[in-house]
Amino acid sequence: MSTSIRRLNGSTGRAAVSAGEGTLSYHVGAGEKGAVVLVGFLRRPYALREAVAMTVDEAWDHIEDWLRANAPATHAELPPPAGADEIRAAQGAVGCAFPPELTASLARHDGSGGFVLPPLHRLHGTRLIVAEYRAYRRADQARSPEEPTWWDARWIPLADDGCGNSLFLSQTPGPSFGRVGDHAKDGGGSFPEDGTPTSLGAFLESTARGLQDGLWGAYESYVDEDGLLEWREPDADLVVAWDMREMNRRYGFG
């Protein structure tokens, strides 16, 4: 993750990293020719506003209008709607009815295609929902009975970040019913209270408002010269140099 690094004292020590409303703590050291060596970081969850006044269709209206006017190449990559038969088949494969918000979104677009919801997520279409669900179930069933549940049969895959982590919609009875959960590839599913949207409708609305305002949490909307949208941190132009020889010397890797 590229971000702005503010060095504190001397050539080694701790450095504060600007990230929206909070800070991330980095360990840094000075390598040859003053290069900054990044050793590790503590991830700060992204923040978003949780207004839910828009319907799913209204949120998509705003998103489409903005993309059409400002990022036409990304707008062209939005998939067509999923058919009613495709949605029913996906529900049958997963084994539970989809929440109304998911059905409404799929009836608008069968996934998000090349459109990335902030900061990194692409919504699944019907085929990928089924494929991911089956893959997660196989992985969970291969785990030993002593291990905690990695994937619940009543979770519906929703989106992924391209790095092995994903979002899901819970259909498990109880407090998590209908909520968006965060699934880490190495840790399983959870329902953090630190900014993960509570529903698909809230996620789509916050995306629409982020496009309108130009800012979603700590991320700015950016359109390149080809008309493609991406989400960037405001200070993402800083290049962090990895001095591997210095890291090996300092930490005994070689």
Side-chain angles (χ1 to χ4, degrees):
M1 179 177 65
S2 298
T3 191
S4 173
I5 293 182
R6 192 169 64 250
R7 294 181 61 183
L8 298 183
N9 298 318
S11 61
T12 61
R14 300 190 64 84
V17 179
S18 301
E21 299 174 356
T23 59
L24 289 171
S25 294
Y26 280 71
H27 293 284
V28 300
E32 294 185 358
K33 299 180 181 179
V36 175
V37 178
L38 176 61
V39 178
F41 67 89
L42 301 175
R43 179 186 174 193
R44 175 190 179 274
Y46 55 82
L48 61 91
R49 292 173 299 171
E50 200 62 28
V52 289
M54 296 181 191
T55 66
V56 166
D57 277 322
E58 289 169 341
W60 271 119
D61 283 341
H62 286 282
I63 291 169
E64 290 171 10
D65 289 346
W66 193 96
L67 293 176
R68 188 181 297 109
N70 298 281
T74 295
H75 180 268
E77 294 183 354
L78 288 172
D85 290 343
E86 293 174 303
I87 296 174
R88 281 194 293 268
Q91 291 178 108
V94 170
C96 66
F98 288 171
E101 289 182 332
L102 178 56
T103 301
S105 184
L106 290 169
R108 192 68 178 253
H109 294 289
D110 193 12
S112 62
F115 172 51
V116 177
L117 281 72
L120 297 170
H121 291 98
R122 297 178 191 266
L123 295 176
H124 296 332
T126 49
R127 291 186 178 182
L128 192 52
I129 288 173
V130 173
E132 291 289 279
Y133 180 83
R134 289 172 173 167
Y136 282 132
R137 290 291 290 147
R138 286 195 299 269
D140 189 61
Q141 290 165 359
R143 295 163 66 89
S144 69
E146 292 77 21
E147 294 181 278
T149 299
W150 189 73
W151 183 265
D152 191 289
R154 291 161 294 188
W155 292 348
I156 302 171
L158 177 63
D160 70 82
D161 66 359
C163 300
N165 307 300
S166 61
L167 302 177
F168 62 88
L169 284 169
S170 174
Q171 294 298 279
T172 304
S176 70
F177 184 84
R179 288 192 59 185
V180 173
D182 189 351
H183 192 271
K185 61 182 178 181
D186 298 323
S190 62
F191 299 92
E193 302 292 343
D194 55 17
T196 301
T198 58
S199 68
L200 174 56
F203 195 11
L204 289 171
E205 178 173 5
S206 74
T207 299
R209 294 186 182 278
L211 290 171
Q212 176 182 332
D213 299 341
L215 189 67
W216 187 93
Y219 294 83
E220 295 177 337
S221 57
Y222 173 82
V223 179
D224 67 17
E225 61 184 10
D226 295 319
L228 293 169
L229 168 73
E230 63 180 278
W231 297 92
R232 291 183 172 182
E233 291 178 282
D235 297 319
D237 57 338
L238 180 72
V239 176
V240 178
W242 292 76
D243 188 328
M244 298 306 297
R245 182 163 55 181
E246 172 66 12
M247 290 182 70
N248 290 338
R249 183 194 68 78
R250 184 181 298 274
Y251 298 102
F253 295 147

Coordinates of all heavy atoms in Angstrom, one line a residue, residues 182-251:
D182 N -16.7 -9.8 6.6 CA -15.3 -9.6 6.0 C -14.6 -11.0 6.2 O -14.5 -11.5 7.3 CB -14.6 -8.6 6.8 CG -13.2 -8.2 6.1 OD1 -12.8 -8.9 5.2 OD2 -12.6 -7.2 6.5
H183 N -14.2 -11.6 5.1 CA -13.6 -12.9 5.1 C -12.1 -12.8 4.7 O -11.8 -12.4 3.6 CB -14.3 -13.9 4.2 CG -13.9 -15.3 4.3 ND1 -12.8 -15.9 3.7 CD2 -14.4 -16.3 5.2 CE1 -12.7 -17.1 4.1 NE2 -13.6 -17.4 5.0
A184 N -11.3 -13.0 5.7 CA -9.8 -13.0 5.5 C -9.3 -14.4 5.0 O -9.7 -15.4 5.6 CB -9.1 -12.5 6.7
K185 N -8.5 -14.4 4.0 CA -8.1 -15.7 3.5 C -7.4 -16.6 4.5 O -7.4 -17.8 4.5 CB -7.2 -15.5 2.3 CG -5.9 -14.8 2.6 CD -5.1 -14.6 1.3 CE -3.8 -13.8 1.6 NZ -3.0 -13.6 0.4
D186 N -6.7 -16.0 5.5 CA -6.0 -16.7 6.5 C -6.7 -16.8 7.9 O -6.3 -17.5 8.7 CB -4.6 -16.1 6.8 CG -3.8 -16.1 5.5 OD1 -3.8 -17.1 4.8 OD2 -3.0 -15.2 5.3
G187 N -7.9 -16.1 8.0 CA -8.5 -16.1 9.3 C -10.0 -16.4 9.3 O -10.6 -16.5 10.4
G188 N -10.6 -16.6 8.2 CA -12.1 -16.8 8.2 C -12.9 -15.6 8.3 O -12.4 -14.5 8.1
G189 N -14.2 -15.8 8.5 CA -15.1 -14.7 8.5 C -15.3 -14.0 9.8 O -15.2 -14.6 10.9
S190 N -15.7 -12.7 9.8 CA -16.0 -11.9 10.9 C -16.9 -10.7 10.6 O -17.1 -10.5 9.4 CB -14.7 -11.4 11.6 OG -14.0 -10.5 10.7
F191 N -17.4 -10.1 11.6 CA -18.3 -8.9 11.4 C -17.7 -7.7 12.1 O -18.2 -7.4 13.2 CB -19.7 -9.2 11.8 CG -20.3 -10.4 11.1 CD1 -20.2 -11.7 11.5 CD2 -21.0 -10.1 9.9 CE1 -20.8 -12.7 10.8 CE2 -21.5 -11.2 9.2 CZ -21.4 -12.5 9.6
P192 N -16.6 -7.1 11.6 CA -16.0 -6.0 12.3 C -16.9 -4.8 12.4 O -17.7 -4.6 11.6 CB -14.7 -5.7 11.5 CG -15.0 -6.3 10.2 CD -16.0 -7.4 10.4
E193 N -16.7 -4.0 13.4 CA -17.4 -2.8 13.6 C -16.6 -1.5 13.2 O -16.9 -0.4 13.7 CB -17.9 -2.7 15.1 CG -18.7 -3.8 15.6 CD -20.1 -3.9 15.0 OE1 -20.5 -2.9 14.4 OE2 -20.7 -5.0 15.1
D194 N -15.6 -1.7 12.4 CA -14.7 -0.6 12.2 C -14.8 0.0 10.8 O -13.9 0.6 10.3 CB -13.3 -1.2 12.3 CG -13.0 -2.4 11.4 OD1 -13.8 -2.6 10.5 OD2 -12.0 -3.1 11.6
G195 N -16.0 -0.1 10.2 CA -16.2 0.5 8.9 C -16.7 -0.4 7.8 O -17.1 0.1 6.7
T196 N -16.7 -1.7 8.0 CA -17.3 -2.6 7.0 C -18.7 -2.3 6.9 O -19.4 -2.1 7.9 CB -17.1 -4.1 7.4 OG1 -15.7 -4.4 7.6 CG2 -17.7 -5.0 6.4
P197 N -19.3 -2.1 5.7 CA -20.7 -1.7 5.5 C -21.6 -2.8 6.1 O -21.3 -4.0 6.1 CB -20.9 -1.6 4.0 CG -19.8 -2.4 3.4 CD -18.6 -2.3 4.4
T198 N -22.7 -2.3 6.7 CA -23.6 -3.3 7.4 C -24.5 -4.0 6.4 O -25.0 -5.1 6.7 CB -24.5 -2.6 8.4 OG1 -25.2 -1.5 7.7 CG2 -23.7 -2.0 9.5
S199 N -24.6 -3.5 5.2 CA -25.5 -4.1 4.2 C -25.0 -3.8 2.8 O -24.2 -2.8 2.6 CB -26.9 -3.6 4.3 OG -27.0 -2.3 4.0
L200 N -25.4 -4.5 1.8 CA -25.1 -4.2 0.4 C -25.6 -2.9 0.0 O -25.0 -2.1 -0.7 CB -25.6 -5.3 -0.5 CG -25.4 -5.1 -2.0 CD1 -24.0 -4.9 -2.4 CD2 -26.0 -6.3 -2.8
G201 N -26.9 -2.6 0.4 CA -27.4 -1.3 0.1 C -26.6 -0.1 0.7 O -26.4 0.9 0.0
A202 N -26.1 -0.2 1.9 CA -25.2 0.8 2.5 C -23.9 0.9 1.7 O -23.4 2.0 1.5 CB -25.0 0.5 3.9
F203 N -23.4 -0.2 1.3 CA -22.1 -0.2 0.5 C -22.3 0.5 -0.8 O -21.5 1.4 -1.2 CB -21.7 -1.6 0.3 CG -20.2 -1.8 -0.2 CD1 -19.4 -0.7 -0.2 CD2 -19.8 -3.0 -0.6 CE1 -18.0 -0.9 -0.6 CE2 -18.5 -3.2 -1.0 CZ -17.6 -2.1 -1.0
L204 N -23.4 0.2 -1.5 CA -23.6 0.9 -2.8 C -23.9 2.4 -2.6 O -23.4 3.2 -3.4 CB -24.8 0.2 -3.5 CG -24.6 -1.2 -4.1 CD1 -25.9 -1.8 -4.5 CD2 -23.6 -1.2 -5.2
E205 N -24.6 2.7 -1.6 CA -24.9 4.1 -1.4 C -23.6 4.9 -1.0 O -23.4 6.0 -1.5 CB -25.9 4.4 -0.3 CG -26.2 5.8 0.0 CD -27.3 6.2 0.9 OE1 -27.9 5.2 1.5 OE2 -27.6 7.4 1.1
S206 N -22.8 4.3 -0.1 CA -21.6 5.0 0.2 C -20.7 5.1 -1.0 O -19.9 6.1 -1.1 CB -20.8 4.2 1.4 OG -20.2 3.0 0.9
T207 N -20.7 4.2 -1.9 CA -19.9 4.3 -3.1 C -20.5 5.4 -4.0 O -19.7 6.2 -4.5 CB -20.0 3.0 -3.9 OG1 -19.5 1.9 -3.1 CG2 -19.2 3.1 -5.2
A208 N -21.8 5.5 -4.1 CA -22.4 6.6 -4.9 C -22.0 8.0 -4.3 O -21.6 8.9 -5.1 CB -23.9 6.4 -5.0
R209 N -22.1 8.1 -3.0 CA -21.7 9.3 -2.4 C -20.2 9.6 -2.5 O -19.8 10.8 -2.6 CB -22.2 9.3 -0.9 CG -23.7 9.3 -0.7 CD -24.1 9.4 0.7 NE -25.6 9.3 0.9 CZ -26.4 10.3 0.7 NH1 -25.9 11.5 0.3 NH2 -27.7 10.1 0.9
G210 N -19.4 8.6 -2.4 CA -18.0 8.8 -2.5 C -17.6 9.3 -3.9 O -16.7 10.1 -4.1
L211 N -18.3 8.8 -4.9 CA -18.1 9.3 -6.3 C -18.5 10.7 -6.4 O -17.8 11.6 -7.0 CB -18.8 8.4 -7.3 CG -18.3 7.0 -7.5 CD1 -19.3 6.2 -8.4 CD2 -16.9 7.0 -8.2
Q212 N -19.6 11.1 -5.8 CA -20.1 12.4 -5.9 C -19.2 13.4 -5.2 O -18.9 14.5 -5.6 CB -21.5 12.5 -5.3 CG -22.1 13.9 -5.2 CD -23.5 13.9 -4.5 OE1 -24.2 12.9 -4.6 NE2 -23.8 15.0 -3.9
D213 N -18.7 13.0 -4.0 CA -17.9 13.9 -3.2 C -16.4 13.8 -3.6 O -15.6 14.7 -3.2 CB -18.0 13.5 -1.7 CG -19.4 13.6 -1.1 OD1 -20.2 14.3 -1.8 OD2 -19.7 13.0 -0.1
G214 N -16.0 12.8 -4.3 CA -14.6 12.6 -4.7 C -13.8 12.0 -3.6 O -12.6 11.9 -3.7
L215 N -14.4 11.5 -2.5 CA -13.7 11.0 -1.4 C -14.5 9.9 -0.7 O -15.7 10.1 -0.4 CB -13.4 12.0 -0.4 CG -12.4 11.7 0.8 CD1 -11.0 11.4 0.2 CD2 -12.3 12.8 1.8
W216 N -13.9 8.7 -0.5 CA -14.6 7.6 0.3 C -13.6 7.2 1.4 O -12.6 6.6 1.1 CB -14.9 6.4 -0.7 CG -15.7 5.3 -0.1 CD1 -17.0 5.1 -0.2 CD2 -15.1 4.2 0.6 NE1 -17.4 4.0 0.4 CE2 -16.3 3.3 0.9 CE3 -13.9 3.7 1.0 CZ2 -16.1 2.1 1.6 CZ3 -13.7 2.6 1.7 CH2 -14.8 1.8 2.0
G217 N -14.0 7.6 2.6 CA -13.0 7.3 3.7 C -11.7 8.0 3.4 O -11.7 9.2 3.2
A218 N -10.6 7.2 3.3 CA -9.3 7.8 3.1 C -8.9 7.7 1.6 O -7.8 8.0 1.3 CB -8.3 7.1 3.9
Y219 N -9.9 7.4 0.8 CA -9.6 7.2 -0.7 C -10.3 8.2 -1.6 O -11.5 8.5 -1.4 CB -10.0 5.7 -1.1 CG -9.2 4.7 -0.4 CD1 -9.6 4.2 0.9 CD2 -8.1 4.1 -1.0 CE1 -8.8 3.3 1.6 CE2 -7.4 3.1 -0.3 CZ -7.7 2.7 0.9 OH -7.0 1.8 1.6
E220 N -9.6 8.6 -2.6 CA -10.1 9.6 -3.6 C -10.4 8.8 -4.9 O -9.6 7.9 -5.2 CB -9.1 10.7 -3.8 CG -8.8 11.6 -2.7 CD -7.7 12.6 -3.0 OE1 -6.9 12.4 -3.9 OE2 -7.7 13.7 -2.3
S221 N -11.4 9.2 -5.5 CA -11.7 8.7 -6.9 C -10.7 9.3 -7.9 O -10.5 10.5 -7.8 CB -13.1 9.0 -7.3 OG -13.4 10.4 -7.3
Y222 N -10.1 8.5 -8.7 CA -9.2 9.0 -9.7 C -9.5 8.4 -11.1 O -9.7 7.1 -11.1 CB -7.8 8.6 -9.3 CG -6.7 8.9 -10.3 CD1 -6.2 10.2 -10.5 CD2 -6.2 8.0 -11.2 CE1 -5.2 10.5 -11.5 CE2 -5.3 8.2 -12.2 CZ -4.8 9.5 -12.3 OH -3.9 9.8 -13.3
V223 N -9.6 9.2 -12.1 CA -9.8 8.7 -13.5 C -8.6 8.9 -14.3 O -8.2 10.1 -14.4 CB -11.1 9.3 -14.1 CG1 -11.3 8.8 -15.5 CG2 -12.3 9.1 -13.2
D224 N -8.1 7.9 -15.0 CA -6.9 8.1 -15.8 C -7.3 8.6 -17.2 O -8.5 8.8 -17.5 CB -6.1 6.8 -15.9 CG -6.8 5.7 -16.6 OD1 -7.8 6.0 -17.3 OD2 -6.4 4.5 -16.5
E225 N -6.3 8.8 -18.0 CA -6.5 9.4 -19.3 C -7.3 8.5 -20.2 O -7.9 9.0 -21.3 CB -5.2 9.7 -20.0 CG -4.3 8.5 -20.2 CD -2.9 8.9 -20.8 OE1 -2.6 10.1 -20.8 OE2 -2.2 8.0 -21.1
D226 N -7.4 7.2 -19.9 CA -8.2 6.3 -20.7 C -9.7 6.2 -20.2 O -10.5 5.4 -20.8 CB -7.6 4.9 -20.7 CG -6.2 4.9 -21.3 OD1 -6.1 5.5 -22.4 OD2 -5.4 4.2 -20.8
G227 N -10.0 7.0 -19.2 CA -11.4 7.0 -18.7 C -11.7 5.8 -17.7 O -12.8 5.4 -17.6
L228 N -10.7 5.3 -17.1 CA -10.8 4.2 -16.1 C -10.7 4.7 -14.7 O -9.8 5.5 -14.4 CB -9.8 3.1 -16.4 CG -9.9 2.3 -17.7 CD1 -8.6 1.5 -17.9 CD2 -11.1 1.5 -17.7
L229 N -11.6 4.3 -13.9 CA -11.7 4.7 -12.5 C -10.8 3.8 -11.6 O -10.8 2.6 -11.7 CB -13.1 4.7 -12.0 CG -13.3 4.9 -10.5 CD1 -13.1 6.3 -10.1 CD2 -14.7 4.5 -10.1
E230 N -10.2 4.4 -10.6 CA -9.6 3.7 -9.5 C -9.7 4.5 -8.3 O -9.9 5.7 -8.3 CB -8.1 3.3 -9.8 CG -7.2 4.5 -10.0 CD -5.7 4.1 -10.3 OE1 -5.0 3.8 -9.3 OE2 -5.4 4.0 -11.5
W231 N -9.4 3.9 -7.1 CA -9.5 4.6 -5.9 C -8.1 4.7 -5.3 O -7.4 3.7 -5.2 CB -10.4 3.8 -4.9 CG -11.8 3.8 -5.3 CD1 -12.4 2.8 -6.1 CD2 -12.8 4.8 -5.1 NE1 -13.7 3.1 -6.3 CE2 -14.0 4.3 -5.7 CE3 -12.8 6.0 -4.4 CZ2 -15.2 5.1 -5.7 CZ3 -14.0 6.7 -4.3 CH2 -15.2 6.3 -5.0
R232 N -7.7 5.9 -4.9 CA -6.3 6.1 -4.5 C -6.3 6.8 -3.1 O -7.2 7.6 -2.9 CB -5.5 7.0 -5.5 CG -5.2 6.3 -6.8 CD -4.3 7.3 -7.6 NE -3.8 6.6 -8.8 CZ -3.0 7.2 -9.7 NH1 -2.7 8.5 -9.5 NH2 -2.6 6.6 -10.8
E233 N -5.3 6.6 -2.4 CA -5.0 7.4 -1.2 C -4.5 8.8 -1.7 O -3.8 8.9 -2.7 CB -4.1 6.8 -0.3 CG -4.6 5.5 0.4 CD -3.6 4.9 1.3 OE1 -2.7 4.2 0.8 OE2 -3.7 5.0 2.5
P234 N -4.8 9.9 -1.0 CA -4.4 11.2 -1.4 C -2.9 11.4 -1.6 O -2.5 12.1 -2.5 CB -4.9 12.1 -0.3 CG -6.1 11.4 0.3 CD -5.7 9.9 0.2
D235 N -2.1 10.7 -0.9 CA -0.6 10.8 -1.0 C 0.0 9.6 -1.6 O 1.1 9.2 -1.3 CB 0.0 11.1 0.4 CG -0.5 12.4 1.0 OD1 -0.7 13.4 0.3 OD2 -0.8 12.4 2.2
A236 N -0.7 8.9 -2.5 CA -0.2 7.7 -3.1 C 0.9 7.8 -4.1 O 1.3 6.9 -4.7 CB -1.4 6.9 -3.7
D237 N 1.4 9.1 -4.3 CA 2.4 9.3 -5.3 C 3.8 9.0 -4.7 O 4.8 9.0 -5.4 CB 2.4 10.7 -5.9 CG 2.4 11.8 -4.8 OD1 2.1 11.5 -3.6 OD2 2.8 12.9 -5.1
L238 N 3.9 8.8 -3.4 CA 5.2 8.6 -2.8 C 5.7 7.1 -3.0 O 4.9 6.2 -2.9 CB 5.2 8.8 -1.2 CG 6.5 8.5 -0.5 CD1 7.4 9.6 -0.8 CD2 6.2 8.4 1.0
V239 N 6.9 7.0 -3.5 CA 7.4 5.6 -3.8 C 8.3 5.2 -2.6 O 9.2 5.9 -2.1 CB 8.3 5.7 -5.0 CG1 8.9 4.3 -5.2 CG2 7.5 6.1 -6.3
V240 N 7.9 4.0 -2.0 CA 8.7 3.5 -0.9 C 9.7 2.5 -1.5 O 9.4 1.5 -2.2 CB 7.8 2.7 0.1 CG1 8.6 2.1 1.2 CG2 6.8 3.7 0.6
A241 N 11.0 2.7 -1.3 CA 12.1 1.9 -1.8 C 12.3 0.7 -0.8 O 12.5 0.9 0.3 CB 13.3 2.7 -2.0
W242 N 12.4 -0.5 -1.4 CA 12.7 -1.7 -0.6 C 14.2 -2.0 -0.8 O 14.6 -2.4 -1.9 CB 11.9 -2.9 -1.1 CG 10.5 -2.8 -0.8 CD1 9.6 -2.0 -1.5 CD2 9.7 -3.4 0.2 NE1 8.3 -2.2 -1.0 CE2 8.4 -3.0 0.1 CE3 10.1 -4.3 1.2 CZ2 7.4 -3.5 0.9 CZ3 9.1 -4.8 2.1 CH2 7.8 -4.4 1.9
D243 N 15.0 -1.7 0.2 CA 16.5 -2.0 0.2 C 16.7 -3.4 0.8 O 16.8 -3.5 2.0 CB 17.2 -0.9 0.9 CG 18.7 -1.0 0.7 OD1 19.2 -2.1 0.6 OD2 19.4 0.1 0.8
M244 N 16.7 -4.4 -0.1 CA 16.8 -5.8 0.4 C 18.1 -6.1 1.0 O 18.2 -6.9 2.0 CB 16.5 -6.7 -0.8 CG 15.1 -6.6 -1.4 SD 13.8 -6.7 -0.2 CE 14.0 -8.4 0.4
R245 N 19.2 -5.5 0.5 CA 20.5 -5.8 1.1 C 20.5 -5.2 2.6 O 21.0 -5.9 3.5 CB 21.6 -5.1 0.3 CG 23.0 -5.4 0.9 CD 24.1 -5.1 -0.2 NE 24.0 -3.7 -0.7 CZ 24.8 -3.3 -1.6 NH1 25.8 -4.0 -2.1 NH2 24.7 -2.0 -2.0
E246 N 19.9 -4.0 2.8 CA 19.9 -3.5 4.1 C 19.0 -4.3 5.0 O 19.3 -4.6 6.2 CB 19.4 -2.0 4.1 CG 19.2 -1.4 5.5 CD 20.4 -1.2 6.3 OE1 21.5 -1.4 5.7 OE2 20.3 -0.9 7.5
M247 N 17.9 -4.8 4.5 CA 17.0 -5.6 5.3 C 17.7 -6.9 5.7 O 17.5 -7.4 6.9 CB 15.7 -5.9 4.6 CG 14.8 -4.7 4.4 SD 13.2 -5.1 3.5 CE 12.4 -6.2 4.8
N248 N 18.4 -7.6 4.8 CA 19.1 -8.8 5.1 C 20.2 -8.6 6.1 O 20.3 -9.4 7.0 CB 19.7 -9.4 3.8 CG 18.7 -9.9 2.8 OD1 17.6 -10.2 3.2 ND2 19.0 -10.0 1.5
R249 N 20.9 -7.5 6.0 CA 21.9 -7.2 7.0 C 21.4 -7.0 8.3 O 21.8 -7.5 9.3 CB 22.8 -6.0 6.5 CG 23.9 -5.7 7.4 CD 24.5 -4.3 7.1 NE 23.6 -3.2 7.5 CZ 23.4 -2.8 8.8 NH1 24.0 -3.4 9.8 NH2 22.5 -1.9 9.0
R250 N 20.3 -6.2 8.4 CA 19.8 -5.7 9.7 C 19.0 -6.9 10.4 O 19.1 -7.0 11.6 CB 18.9 -4.5 9.5 CG 18.3 -3.9 10.8 CD 17.4 -2.8 10.5 NE 18.1 -1.7 9.8 CZ 18.8 -0.7 10.5 NH1 18.8 -0.7 11.8 NH2 19.4 0.2 9.9
Y251 N 18.3 -7.7 9.7 CA 17.5 -8.7 10.3 C 17.9 -10.1 10.1 O 17.2 -11.0 10.4 CB 16.0 -8.5 9.8 CG 15.5 -7.1 10.2 CD1 15.4 -6.1 9.2 CD2 15.1 -6.8 11.5 CE1 15.0 -4.8 9.5 CE2 14.7 -5.5 11.8 CZ 14.6 -4.6 10.8 OH 14.2 -3.3 11.2

